[in-house]
Amino acid sequence: GEAGQDMKVMILAAGYGRRLLPLTEVTPKPLLEVNGKSLIQRNIETLISSGFDEFVINISYLGQMIKEHVSHTFPGIKISFSEEVEPLGTGGGVSAALDILGKDTFVLINSDICHDINIKNLSSDTESAHLIGVKNPDHNSDGDFSLDGDRLIIKEGKNDFTWTGISVINPTIFSNFRDQEGPFDIWKSVMTKPIQNKTVTAEITHSNWIDTGTFERLELANKIYKDEN
């Protein structure tokens, strides 16, 4: 198959979506719609058309709704759910799903992004992690990381790029976190050492990418994608 087709995909869908209250009081964030389609459906459709066919989705808050929606929308697709009693954060959520994900490198993606990024050719060959970044959007003007060649570095103060929430993860970077209790963040904890060791790589895309975490950006996504049919 093409590069990437053998990788499983983990979709993060367990958060509370507090910045989108009161919408998220009754609808979990991944089920909010852009142009009549849920965010999670858009992401799964893009992944399927990019050659991926096996999915793990972590769910917690209003998780049953997500499960029913996804199972109903994608009846023939291989999807496992990792259920969290309380949301475990991006790091804790992945850690809890490692038994389902297995030992191989996998793609990790946030369920609440809207994007046109080409993910067909993502390589599974990464020592620790490979991230896709964009030039900093207004809402994250200080950035998350910079690049030294293809190596991800974090400078003091301002950085050049923002993480899209799309990456390829080698599960070995979780080996010291298997027993960590409670919620934790992948960026602030799991990635720290690999970034210091310069084993994390990144690429920059100029494609459309919107993190729909606020009303303003959900509205923006609806504007950008309203004429797609």
Side-chain angles (χ1 to χ4, degrees):
E2 294 168 51
Q5 286 191 329
D6 304 332
M7 282 191 280
K8 288 182 184 166
V9 179
M10 174 151 186
I11 302 173
L12 294 168
Y16 287 116
R18 288 196 178 97
R19 288 181 303 177
L20 286 160
L21 284 167
L23 284 184
T24 44
E25 228 163 80
V26 288
T27 309
K29 187 160 68 163
L31 297 194
L32 295 177
E33 293 189 347
V34 167
N35 189 18
K37 245 185 217 176
S38 73
L39 289 164
I40 198 164
Q41 177 178 351
R42 291 176 159 275
N43 276 300
I44 294 172
E45 283 175 355
T46 301
L47 286 154
I48 290 171
S49 67
S50 302
F52 297 95
D53 60 8
E54 202 173 330
F55 302 92
V56 177
I57 302 173
N58 71 330
I59 51 175
S60 182
Y61 176 67
L62 301 180
Q64 201 50 39
M65 287 175 74
I66 298 173
K67 202 172 177 177
E68 283 166 17
H69 169 73
V70 168
S71 309
H72 175 80
T73 313
F74 300 100
I77 300 292
K78 194 167 177 191
I79 299 173
S80 313
F81 293 92
S82 177
E83 305 194 23
E84 303 169 12
V85 180
E86 287 286 316
L88 293 172
T90 51
V94 172
S95 191
L98 284 176
D99 291 338
I100 311 174
L101 287 161
K103 295 211 175 348
D104 294 332
T105 306
F106 59 91
V107 174
L108 182 64
I109 186 165
N110 293 348
S111 63
D112 58 345
I113 59 174
C114 241
H115 74 90
D116 300 322
I117 298 168
N118 181 353
I119 49 176
K120 275 192 179 66
N121 305 318
L122 277 175
S123 165
S124 61
D125 186 23
T126 177
E127 193 180 336
S128 55
H130 176 74
L131 277 58
I132 300 182
V134 288
K135 288 209 298 216
N136 295 337
D138 296 341
H139 63 84
N140 194 40
S141 55
D142 284 348
D144 299 321
F145 69 88
S146 298
L147 281 178
D148 177 9
D150 68 343
R151 300 289 149 169
L152 187 152
I153 57 170
I154 297 180
K155 296 192 223 166
E156 291 283 320
K158 268 176 95 79
N159 280 280
D160 303 328
F161 305 109
T162 291
W163 184 22
T164 56
I166 303 173
S167 36
V168 176
I169 302 288
N170 186 326
T172 55
I173 62 173
F174 278 86
S175 53
N176 298 333
F177 293 88
R178 288 305 300 254
D179 305 318
Q180 187 155 328
E181 295 292 312
F184 61 97
D185 182 271
I186 191 170
W187 182 255
K188 293 190 184 81
S189 54
V190 185
M191 293 279 192
T192 309
K193 271 253 171 337
I195 290 172
Q196 285 166 354
N197 296 338
K198 293 254 181 114
T199 60
V200 179
T201 53
E203 65 186 84
I204 305 308
T205 178
H206 300 284
S207 303
N208 265 337
W209 170 83
I210 305 164
D211 160 13
T212 64
T214 64
F215 283 104
E216 197 181 17
R217 302 205 297 272
L218 190 59
E219 208 170 294
L220 177 66
N222 272 292
K223 281 202 187 88
I224 289 180
Y225 291 96
K226 74 168 190 295
D227 302 322
E228 66 193 342
N229 314 340

